[in-house]
Amino acid sequence: MSTMLGIDLRSGAVADLAIVDRIMQAAFDARFGEAWTHNQVLGLLAMPGVWLTIAEVGGEPAGFALCRRVLEEAELLLLATAPHLRRRGVAAALLRAVASDASAQGARTLHLEVRDGNEAIKLYSNEGFAKVGERRDYYRGPNGRLFDALTFQRDLA
């Protein structure tokens, strides 16, 4: 796919699910239950319009993005960076690749959802996403505290 700042991006496949599982378990805070199961990701990969992008730094798996496109809309379903490789541009490189790939497939908009308070919101805003909605009390966190789900959109046209 491309190389950016020492970050290599490539198309992922079912053979990469062990990498996805490992990064997701390390990157997502278990207190919020945001990580998907192996079978959930496997089931999605079998669907039309779904693609996986793997990021590597120095040959080491560094992150991934799982996306789907339906007609002129694409959605970023999952994005994760290995915790020890955060703040090195991996997630930004993945977001740019996802936007480029979605646009090349005919999508005019790219959507995502994120828990309110997630530090990734700053990254999404910096990459051209704007908040377009929210689902009140969608995520349950530590001690039963509820968090809103924020929906963001980026125009690709």
Side-chain angles (χ1 to χ4, degrees):
M1 283 177 106
S2 71
T3 300
M4 180 186 280
L5 304 172
I7 301 166
D8 295 313
L9 301 174
R10 64 174 175 81
S11 294
V14 170
D16 294 305
L17 282 184
I19 291 168
V20 169
D21 289 341
R22 188 170 58 250
I23 291 172
M24 190 167 25
Q25 293 306 319
F28 291 172
D29 189 333
R31 297 176 302 165
F32 293 99
E34 296 165 328
W36 291 16
T37 67
H38 178 90
N39 285 338
Q40 285 173 313
V41 177
L42 180 64
L44 263 170
L45 278 176
M47 296 175 67
V50 174
W51 75 98
L52 174 66
T53 304
I54 302 290
E56 297 176 342
V57 173
E60 175 187 355
F64 72 90
L66 180 67
C67 307
R68 74 174 155 201
R69 182 193 57 80
V70 177
L71 302 174
E72 294 183 345
E73 294 189 348
E75 181 180 11
L76 175 63
L77 301 167
L78 291 170
L79 176 74
T81 301
H84 70 285
L85 293 171
R86 287 184 177 153
R87 311 245 184 298
R88 296 191 186 180
V90 173
L94 283 164
L95 276 175
R96 291 178 194 133
V98 163
S100 176
D101 292 345
S103 181
Q105 294 176 36
R108 299 178 61 80
T109 56
L110 178 58
H111 303 269
L112 65 85
E113 178 185 282
V114 61
R115 175 181 36 82
D116 191 16
N118 187 321
E119 60 188 62
I121 292 169
K122 182 177 179 185
L123 168 69
Y124 299 139
S125 296
N126 289 344
E127 291 298 321
F129 286 85
K131 181 182 166 192
V132 294
E134 62 184 67
R135 294 183 180 124
R136 303 285 300 157
D137 300 335
Y138 187 79
Y139 292 100
R140 182 173 303 279
N143 301 321
R145 181 173 172 210
L146 298 174
F147 294 82
D148 297 341
L150 307 179
T151 54
F152 285 76
Q153 178 178 308
R154 176 178 166 185
D155 292 330
L156 300 175

